[in-house]
Amino acid sequence: MSHAAPFASFIVCTRDRAEALETCIRSIEAACALHAGVLWELIVVDNGSTDDTPERIARIITGSPLTVLHLVESRPGLAAARNAAMSRARGGILIFIDDDCEIDANYLRDLERHYTGGEAGIIRGGRVELGDAKDLPFTIKRSNVRERLTCDVHPGGFVLGCNMTMHREVALRIGAFDERFGAGAPLRSAEDTDYLVRAHRLGIPVEYVPDMTVFHHHGRRARATIETLHCNYSFGNGALCMKHARTAPWLLRHFCWSVRSAFAEILGGPRFDPVLHLSHWPIALMNLLGALKFLALVVTARPTGQGEQPVNEQLQR
């Protein structure tokens, strides 16, 4: 295969989801096959799997038509895994896809339409549909409206990290993901939301488009699992408010809105999610706990490897 830099780098981080990962990669291969004239690469980061993920990745590499780079990141956390991948990515566009997602056959057609000859320096996320109708409708985004992030919109869920793309120059400007945030890290979630806030502070547009579709096979069918995830998201968002309290005070307005909505709920006001019967109260309470946890991390000054770091120089090549 040519040694020219690929048009885009797919980044898939995984842990103990061998079967789902293989399905994810096959969908990427199928989409790339429809765009054979374009050079793509796939970076898979194993973040401490204990199942047969390494063996499956080895088999995939042997038979894949794509250039596949297999990395092992021993530091726990999705943010650390994403940083490891970004440091080795060569593509002009970085495409973050979660290991329990499949991309639509037309995903790359949509991506090329948005990026080829378009605006330079942008973060762009696409539609996220349920992969299985039996899963509860959570961690999805089905809006048909193309829009850009403003201070009036809460950044959480505006662009989902399971379907997030950006120019490599954007990654260079913003830097690495904050490794205190995200699944597997102390702050549990919001590594993607933190990235959006940092982009917004730098004047980098953040855009949602109602195509570039992925199908999320999250597998959550019990309400208790959704409530746990709901709490983890709110915990991370509370830490986010505390981190950016001085540089992005508009986030505090959304926290105040959650508190006000929680009290209104007592008087018969609407729930946060009437379909899943999710309350505003966990949002307000976990926001507070997340903010306190962030302060504790700052006070204890966690060692290097945590927090924002420059992207590895390899990304600049």
Side-chain angles (χ1 to χ4, degrees):
M1 182 172 286
S2 168
H3 292 291
F7 175 73
S9 300
F10 282 94
I11 293 174
V12 180
C13 302
T14 190
R15 178 182 168 87
D16 290 337
R17 285 179 176 167
E19 186 172 347
L21 172 67
E22 189 161 359
T23 301
C24 172
I25 292 175
R26 297 306 180 201
S27 75
I28 292 172
E29 290 175 339
C32 291
L34 297 177
H35 295 74
V38 181
L39 186 60
W40 315 95
E41 73 172 356
L42 169 62
I43 302 174
V44 183
V45 185
D46 184 353
N47 194 211
S49 293
T50 58
D51 60 5
D52 64 339
T53 292
E55 292 77 15
R56 292 216 190 196
I57 295 175
R59 289 199 300 270
I60 289 169
I61 291 175
T62 300
S64 180
L66 299 177
T67 297
V68 183
L69 177 61
H70 176 200
L71 303 178
V72 176
E73 178 50 69
S74 58
R75 293 175 300 151
L78 178 56
R82 284 180 165 169
N83 287 339
M86 282 204 303
S87 72
R88 300 291 296 276
R90 299 182 301 129
I93 307 296
L94 307 182
I95 307 172
F96 294 89
I97 302 293
D98 277 7
D99 59 355
D100 57 356
C101 292
E102 292 180 81
I103 69 170
D104 182 75
N106 294 318
Y107 186 95
L108 295 179
R109 180 198 65 186
D110 296 335
L111 180 128
E112 286 187 277
R113 184 178 69 253
H114 290 304
Y115 277 102
T116 302
E119 181 177 4
I122 190 170
I123 293 179
R124 186 175 277 122
R127 190 182 191 94
V128 180
E129 288 281 359
L130 277 180
D132 190 325
K134 294 188 289 293
D135 293 345
L136 291 173
F138 201 65
T139 61
I140 57 175
K141 179 150 185 176
R142 291 169 161 168
S143 172
N144 292 318
V145 179
R146 182 172 183 167
E147 58 182 334
R148 294 201 169 184
L149 179 65
T150 68
C151 296
D152 296 325
V153 178
H154 193 288
F158 182 79
V159 165
L160 299 184
C162 66
N163 183 13
M164 181 170 67
T165 70
M166 67 186 73
H167 288 99
R168 68 184 286 115
E169 290 79 9
V170 165
L172 287 170
R173 286 187 63 192
I174 299 174
F177 286 90
D178 188 331
E179 295 179 8
R180 295 169 295 189
F181 289 84
L187 298 176
R188 305 183 189 177
S189 67
E191 87 293 336
D192 48 356
T193 310
D194 174 66
Y195 216 75
L196 302 186
V197 173
R198 289 159 59 193
H200 189 270
R201 284 170 44 195
L202 292 171
I204 296 171
V206 177
E207 182 177 69
Y208 165 79
V209 292
D211 48 27
M212 281 173 44
T213 303
V214 305
F215 300 93
H216 195 184
H217 296 265
H218 64 70
R220 297 178 179 90
R221 298 175 184 178
R223 187 170 178 274
T225 62
I226 297 299
E227 289 178 335
T228 298
L229 192 62
H230 180 50
C231 287
N232 286 342
Y233 286 164
S234 299
F235 189 85
N237 283 331
L240 189 78
C241 285
M242 183 58 66
K243 175 183 175 179
H244 297 285
R246 287 184 299 175
T247 56
W250 52 276
L251 291 172
L252 296 174
R253 295 204 307 265
H254 299 291
F255 167 71
C256 293
W257 175 84
S258 296
V259 173
R260 187 167 60 248
S261 298
F263 280 103
E265 195 175 300
I266 296 176
L267 302 175
R271 286 177 169 262
F272 171 74
D273 188 325
V275 176
L276 296 173
H277 305 290
L278 296 176
S279 170
H280 289 280
W281 278 106
I283 299 176
L285 295 175
M286 295 305 288
N287 276 178
L288 285 172
L289 291 176
L292 292 173
K293 180 65 174 182
F294 181 82
L295 286 176
L297 292 179
V298 172
V299 169
T300 56
R302 294 184 66 89
T304 56
Q306 301 287 338
E308 297 173 20
Q309 301 290 332
V311 177
N312 191 295
E313 290 182 358
Q314 287 177 306
L315 185 58
Q316 302 179 44
R317 294 176 183 173

